[in-house]
Each structure stands twice: as C-alpha cells, then as structure tokens.
Amino acid sequence: VSRSISSRWKRFALLFPIVGMAAATALAQGPGGQRGFFQAWYGASAFVPAPTDYLHFWNPAVTGDSDQGPGGNDGDSINFAPDSVNGWDMGTANNKYVLLDGPITNGTSYTVTAWIKPDITAMDNNQFGGWIVSDRTGGGSTLDFQLNYNKAQSAYRMSVFNSSATQIQEFNTNVTDNVWQHLAGVVDSTAGTIELFVDGVSDGSTALTITPNDSYAGRASIGISSWELTFTGTKYHGSIGKVRFY
C-alpha cells in the first residue's frame, strides 16, 4: 500500500476548503448518514467516494467492528455494541472501548482519519485523557502513534514515538462539545512534518523531529489508551465513527 496519500492529503486539503451549505449539512449528519468525507469537505467536484487506497477502514454504523480495508484488522467492542446512528457510541462509561486485532501503523508515514463527537464534560481534565486512536502497549519501542483530545488545553494532540524519544504536538482548535468533527492526522516522514486537519482545514503543522517507530505488534485501540485499559483517566467519552488508516 502506497504511503503517498500523506502528501496528497495535505495538497487537496489546502486546495479545497469547506464550501457552502452542502458541506455544512453533510458534516452535521455524522457517520450514520455521511455521504463520504471528501464530498462533505470539498463539494461534489472533489473525490467522491473517498480514496480506496486505505489499509484499514472501520465504519461501525454500517459494518460494526469489521475492518473493510485490505489490512483485515477487525475490532472487538468491549461492553457495548455499535449502533446505526452514532457508530461507536461509548457515552460516559469508563468500560466501553474498542480493541483491534492488531496494530495499525505500517511504515513511518501515514494518515489516520476519524469522525468524532466528544462528550467533553465527561472526560478527565488532563493532558493524557480522551484517547481517540492508540497504537501502543508501553514505553520505548512498544509505542507508535496516538491521537487524543487534551481537555486540559481544550485541544487535539498527536504523539509519535521511537525507542528513545517522544514527539507531542498540540493543535489550536477549540473543541466543541457534542458536535461531529472530522479529524485527519498526518505523519509524513518524507516531508518531515506532523499535521492535523479539522473538518478539512489545517489546524497546524510542525517539523517532525524524530523517526517514528514501525515496530508496534500489539492490539491497537479506539476510545482508550491500549497501554492503560484499566486506567479510566485515558478514556474517551462520546462517539467515534468512520475511522480510516492510510
């Protein structure tokens, strides 16, 4: 699977900002009625449907925990079941999350996208809470990538790791409670950047200062840190849908 999507993603996100009422209407629908995220962001003249060169694609509102991508990394919803409106609706419970059969990262350049509707009030007020996607089981060489909501800063955060260093990037968007947003986190080792797009608009880019790991072999997770399944302080509260990995 080609990793060229990272550079293409950034190029099209800059060329086609959100346009008109059609985009706003589609965004409001969330994963249960979404027309395809490229159309929602950029209008009907852009990529519809979304690119097909993803490695993993989970669409819990339609196909439950099954991975629709060639990576074949199915999930297990723990203590709840996906629904047809909100996908993985974890509510405010601390024991609801999704464990995937294996890791998600493949190479040192990749893009992770997701629809999320966070329940900010219910999440712990700390920088390590609100894990959306987690690809780790411990420290050092067992970490690859994490995307979370940092309630302490009211901002999204991306973290990449290798055996000797961690790079954490905070972004600028003030997150709105109980509103669907689309996130696209891009780690581009070729360009040497980390960047986050929120609803198709760049929320900031920074230089990549480490070489990301490509060695994680455990089970990635959605809605909690896969390293700390019993630590409720990392728990994401709210809904997650249409998670893709390129």
Side-chain angles (χ1 to χ4, degrees):
V1 177
S2 170
R3 292 289 162 247
S4 62
I5 186 66
S6 294
S7 296
R8 287 166 44 206
W9 189 282
K10 290 189 289 185
R11 182 169 66 251
F12 282 99
L14 293 173
L15 288 175
F16 297 95
I18 297 175
V19 291
M21 184 58 68
T25 301
L27 285 169
Q29 291 175 9
Q34 185 52 37
R35 296 177 297 153
F37 60 79
F38 273 87
Q39 184 177 8
W41 289 359
Y42 311 136
S45 62
F47 290 107
V48 179
T52 57
D53 56 346
Y54 46 74
L55 180 62
H56 304 294
F57 175 32
W58 299 274
N59 188 10
V62 178
T63 54
D65 295 327
S66 298
D67 182 2
Q68 303 304 296
N73 192 357
D74 293 341
D76 295 310
S77 292
I78 307 300
N79 298 314
F80 77 113
D83 69 64
S84 61
V85 176
N86 290 311
W88 285 315
D89 185 4
M90 302 172 199
T92 60
N94 286 323
N95 65 341
K96 295 180 180 180
Y97 53 89
V98 180
L99 276 180
L100 304 177
D101 286 346
I104 56 172
T105 50
N106 181 27
T108 59
S109 293
Y110 43 83
T111 296
V112 179
T113 74
W115 281 94
I116 71 165
K117 185 172 74 171
D119 186 334
I120 295 173
T121 302
M123 281 190 267
D124 277 14
N125 188 26
N126 70 75
Q127 62 180 319
F128 302 111
W131 294 115
I132 300 164
V133 179
S134 174
D135 208 26
R136 65 178 287 184
T137 52
S141 60
T142 61
L143 309 105
D144 277 6
F145 170 84
Q146 292 192 139
L147 173 64
N148 76 301
Y149 166 64
N150 177 0
K151 184 174 178 177
Q153 298 295 326
S154 186
Y156 295 116
R157 161 187 282 202
M158 288 172 58
S159 307
V160 293
F161 310 89
N162 64 27
S163 58
S164 59
T166 300
Q167 183 172 353
I168 298 173
Q169 178 62 34
E170 303 279 2
F171 293 94
N172 302 314
T173 294
N174 289 320
V175 182
T176 305
D177 200 14
N178 284 305
V179 172
W180 283 106
Q181 287 188 305
H182 190 275
L183 305 183
V186 180
V187 178
D188 191 334
S189 292
T190 302
T193 57
I194 301 174
E195 191 164 8
L196 181 72
F197 294 89
V198 179
D199 292 338
V201 178
S202 178
D203 197 39
S205 176
T206 190
L208 185 62
T209 59
I210 67 173
T211 300
N213 268 347
D214 183 25
S215 58
Y216 177 67
R219 299 181 71 179
S221 61
I222 294 171
I224 200 169
S225 171
S226 48
W227 181 30
E228 301 163 313
L229 296 178
T230 60
F231 177 47
T232 59
T234 71
K235 186 69 184 68
Y236 171 89
H237 294 296
S239 300
I240 299 176
K242 286 194 173 180
V243 179
R244 287 177 171 89
F245 179 83
Y246 299 87

